[in-house]
């Protein structure tokens, strides 16, 4: 029997995008320039925000944001335990302390009660992550932190959602700044890249300076004219600018992102309808329009590695998003947070697997994934929602749902 191959991810770039890159090659300047400025204007229009800034990764933009906000030693930033490690890393890089909080057992998004309990006199920012494509309720989070102590900055991690919304509102509305990733597996990608949006024009200007070595005149401004302009440095910065060579890959994807979201939603809905109902899934709140970035399932932690091997043997690419950050070596050694303090994140992170989800996934490929997963979990989670093995949280409600 020949095995069907189902890669974990496929981008949707085409020869039209190659043409856009070739057009940049015909110009004299490959770094951050005219193309990037046009993409920033396109992003502003899409989100209806005052300012947008391209960068060469989510991580560099987040690092620059913390530097621009003056967050550092002695400060705390609240971060969910289940997210990519970059969220905590950037906080460490500026010398501040990432305070890891648990996630909601149904949506796997940052738990607001845990955020409230974690707010201290040192809290400078909260970093909600719109995990798997579903946005957090940003209006409620804003009310919660403002009621506690006004002035706490909300930094939205939008790496998993460009095109999602909650209650009709997109990212950047209630957060002080929202950060996107255009890394190679994201819904909108240029290989490596990112963007920041905000209605705070002055904050974006400061971040823009930090990602350009702290220079007073950006390299773009300096290349616009043939007459030399002196520059000064007003503070240490990083190199976080996105070259036009990569920015050229973004306009067509952004123009099509809402159409592509419907394709992703169709695939997401079929997984929900046809996977074994005993498999625990992330629940979508009715107010959320998800970007359907990833399709996470949860299996018994003791079975996960075996399940991944079997999926790989069946030609199916999968990945893990994510192990709880407190279990990763650096954070484990430095903070020694007991699993009991992050019970949902610990168990979810130990049994999570992400299945392939992208617009060009064929019907037959998805059938192969569904049949293989259902065969593998058969007998392990037998369709009884409540009886999931090793999910040792008696109060956790049933997660699996069918649409
Ligand atoms: C990918 C990702 C990041 C980091 O993005 P880069 O552009 O690779 O720096 C941050 N947060 C989450 C949730 C991610 O998935």
């Amino acid at each position: 029997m020949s095995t069907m191959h189902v890669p974990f991810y496929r981008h949707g770039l085409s020869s039209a995008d190659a043409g856009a890159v070739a057009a940049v090659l015909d110009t004299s300047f490959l770094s951050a320039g005219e193309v990037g400025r046009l993409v920033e204007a396109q992003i502003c229009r899409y989100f209806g925000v005052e300012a947008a800034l391209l960068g060469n990764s989510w991580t560099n933009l987040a690092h620059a944001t913390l530097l621009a906000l003056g967050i550092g030693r002695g400060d705390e930033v609240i971060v969910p335990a289940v997210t990519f490690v970059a969220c905590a890393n950037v906080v460490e890089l500026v010398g501040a302390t990432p305070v890891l909080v648990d996630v909601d057992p149904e949506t796997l998004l940052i738990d607001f009660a845990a955020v409230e309990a974690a707010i201290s006199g040192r809290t400078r920012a909260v970093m909600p992550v719109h995990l798997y494509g579903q946005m957090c309720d940003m209006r409620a989070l804003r009310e919660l932190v403002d009621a506690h102590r006004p002035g706490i900055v909300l930094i939205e991690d939008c790496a998993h959602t460009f095109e999602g919304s909650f209650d009709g509102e997109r990212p950047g509305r209630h957060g002080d700044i929202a950060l996107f990733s255009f890394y190679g597996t994201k819904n909108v990608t240029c290989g490596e890249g990112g963007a920041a949006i905000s209605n705070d024009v002055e904050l974006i200007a400061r971040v823009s300076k930090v990602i350009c070595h702290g220079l007073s005149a950006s390299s773009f401004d300096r290349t616009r004219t043939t007459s030399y302009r002196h520059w000064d440095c007003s503070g240490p910065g990083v190199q976080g600018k996105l070259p036009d060579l990569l920015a050229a890959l973004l306009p067509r994807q952004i123009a099509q992102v809402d159409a592509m979201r419907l394709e992703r939603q169709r695939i997401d809905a079929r997984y929900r309808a046809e996977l074994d109902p005993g498999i625990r899934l992330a629940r979508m709140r009715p107010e959320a329009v998800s970007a359907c970035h990833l399709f996470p399932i949860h299996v018994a932690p003791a079975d996960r590695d075996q399940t991944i091997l079997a999926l790989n043997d069946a030609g199916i690419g999968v990945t893990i998003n994510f192990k709880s950050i407190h279990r990763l070596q650096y954070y484990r050694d430095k903070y020694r947070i007991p699993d009991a303090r992050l019970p949902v994140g610990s168990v979810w992170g130990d049994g999570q697997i992400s299945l392939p989800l992208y617009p060009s996934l064929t019907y037959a490929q998805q059938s192969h994934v569904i049949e293989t997963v259902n065969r593998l979990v058969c007998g392990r989670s037998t369709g009884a929602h409540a009886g999931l093995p090793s999910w040792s949280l008696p109060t956790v409600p049933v997660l699996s749902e069918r649409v």
Side-chain angles (χ1 to χ4, degrees):
M1 182 185 94
S2 74
T3 320
M4 181 181 277
H5 184 57
V6 188
F8 177 67
Y9 180 85
R10 280 182 71 92
H11 66 70
L13 295 165
S14 70
S15 54
D17 301 292
V21 174
V24 176
L25 286 173
D26 281 340
T27 69
S28 63
F29 189 62
L30 307 183
S31 185
E34 300 281 358
V35 177
R37 301 297 80 77
L38 290 173
V39 176
E40 285 167 354
Q42 184 185 18
I43 291 173
C44 277
R45 283 195 303 276
Y46 183 85
F47 290 99
V49 292
E50 296 291 325
L53 174 70
L54 288 176
N56 59 14
S57 68
W58 180 99
T59 302
N60 278 337
L61 286 167
H63 187 189
T65 297
L66 296 175
L67 291 171
L69 291 166
I71 293 177
R73 210 157 298 283
D75 295 331
E76 294 176 352
V77 177
I78 297 173
V79 174
V82 178
T83 182
F84 185 50
V85 70
C87 296
N89 283 351
V90 291
V91 179
E92 290 282 331
L93 280 174
V94 299
T97 302
V99 176
L100 298 175
V101 298
D102 213 354
V103 292
D104 180 273
E106 297 206 13
T107 62
L108 291 314
L109 300 175
I110 192 167
D111 184 321
F112 286 7
V115 170
E116 192 158 26
I119 293 175
S120 78
R122 294 167 179 258
T123 306
R124 290 286 312 279
V126 182
M127 194 186 287
V129 179
H130 303 320
L131 197 72
Y132 305 134
Q134 177 173 210
M135 272 186 73
C136 304
D137 182 349
M138 290 303 301
R139 178 190 293 271
L141 185 61
R142 170 57 80 195
E143 281 168 12
L144 183 154
V145 299
D146 283 357
H148 228 275
R149 214 186 70 228
I152 294 175
V153 175
L154 294 184
I155 302 170
E156 294 180 67
D157 180 342
C158 302
H160 291 188
T161 191
F162 188 93
E163 61 275 47
S165 62
F166 188 91
D167 219 359
E169 295 180 326
R170 291 194 187 274
R173 175 97 167 73
H174 299 288
D176 293 274
I177 190 165
L179 305 174
F180 300 88
S181 171
F182 304 136
Y183 171 67
T185 59
K186 303 292 158 74
N187 288 12
V188 174
T189 183
C190 60
E192 300 282 358
I197 60 169
S198 179
N199 284 318
D200 184 342
V201 177
E202 200 262 334
L203 175 59
I204 291 289
R206 275 188 283 154
V207 176
S208 168
K209 198 179 246 197
V210 176
I211 65 165
C212 189
H213 315 280
L215 301 193
S216 50
S218 78
S219 66
F220 171 58
D221 291 338
R222 284 187 289 121
T223 55
R224 276 173 104 169
T225 137
T226 46
S227 46
Y228 182 80
R229 282 178 57 193
H230 287 291
W231 52 266
D232 202 346
C233 174
S234 55
V238 297
Q239 193 321 79
K241 300 186 303 311
L242 185 72
D244 274 3
L245 217 44
L246 295 180
L249 294 170
L250 297 170
R252 203 185 56 92
Q253 290 181 80
I254 294 171
Q256 295 181 353
V257 73
D258 289 317
M260 288 301 114
R261 196 196 69 75
L262 295 176
E263 298 298 306
R264 290 178 170 275
Q265 190 175 36
R266 176 178 52 77
I267 294 163
D268 180 286
R270 186 174 171 217
Y271 274 138
R272 285 173 189 274
E274 297 185 22
L275 283 173
D276 185 309
I279 298 171
R280 200 177 189 110
L281 309 176
R283 178 166 279 176
M284 292 298 150
R285 294 185 53 175
E287 306 96 319
V289 173
S290 177
C292 299
H293 173 52
L294 294 170
F295 196 86
I297 63 169
H298 185 271
V299 299
D303 293 339
R304 178 172 58 190
D305 286 358
Q306 207 183 315
T307 306
I308 290 175
L309 283 178
L311 286 164
N312 290 165
D313 282 349
I316 299 166
V318 296
T319 185
I320 294 173
N321 307 93
F322 300 91
K323 294 179 184 170
S324 183
I325 291 176
H326 79 288
R327 295 282 195 78
L328 304 176
Q329 185 207 322
Y330 173 83
Y331 293 94
R332 193 176 63 223
D333 292 351
K334 183 166 181 182
Y335 295 104
R336 304 203 170 279
I337 303 172
D339 288 352
R341 287 231 336 256
L342 298 166
V344 180
S346 297
V347 178
W348 177 261
D350 281 356
Q352 195 276 347
I353 299 173
S354 295
L355 303 181
L357 198 180
Y358 41 87
S360 60
L361 185 74
T362 67
Y363 191 86
Q365 283 177 314
Q366 192 178 12
S367 301
H368 179 56
V369 176
I370 291 167
E371 282 158 22
T372 308
V373 171
N374 285 348
R375 182 167 45 76
L376 289 170
V377 301
C378 176
R380 290 209 176 82
S381 71
T382 51
H385 292 184
L388 292 174
S390 303
W391 187 276
S392 54
L393 297 168
T395 57
V396 172
V398 168
L399 282 190
S400 189
E401 62 172 11
R402 309 190 68 156
V403 291

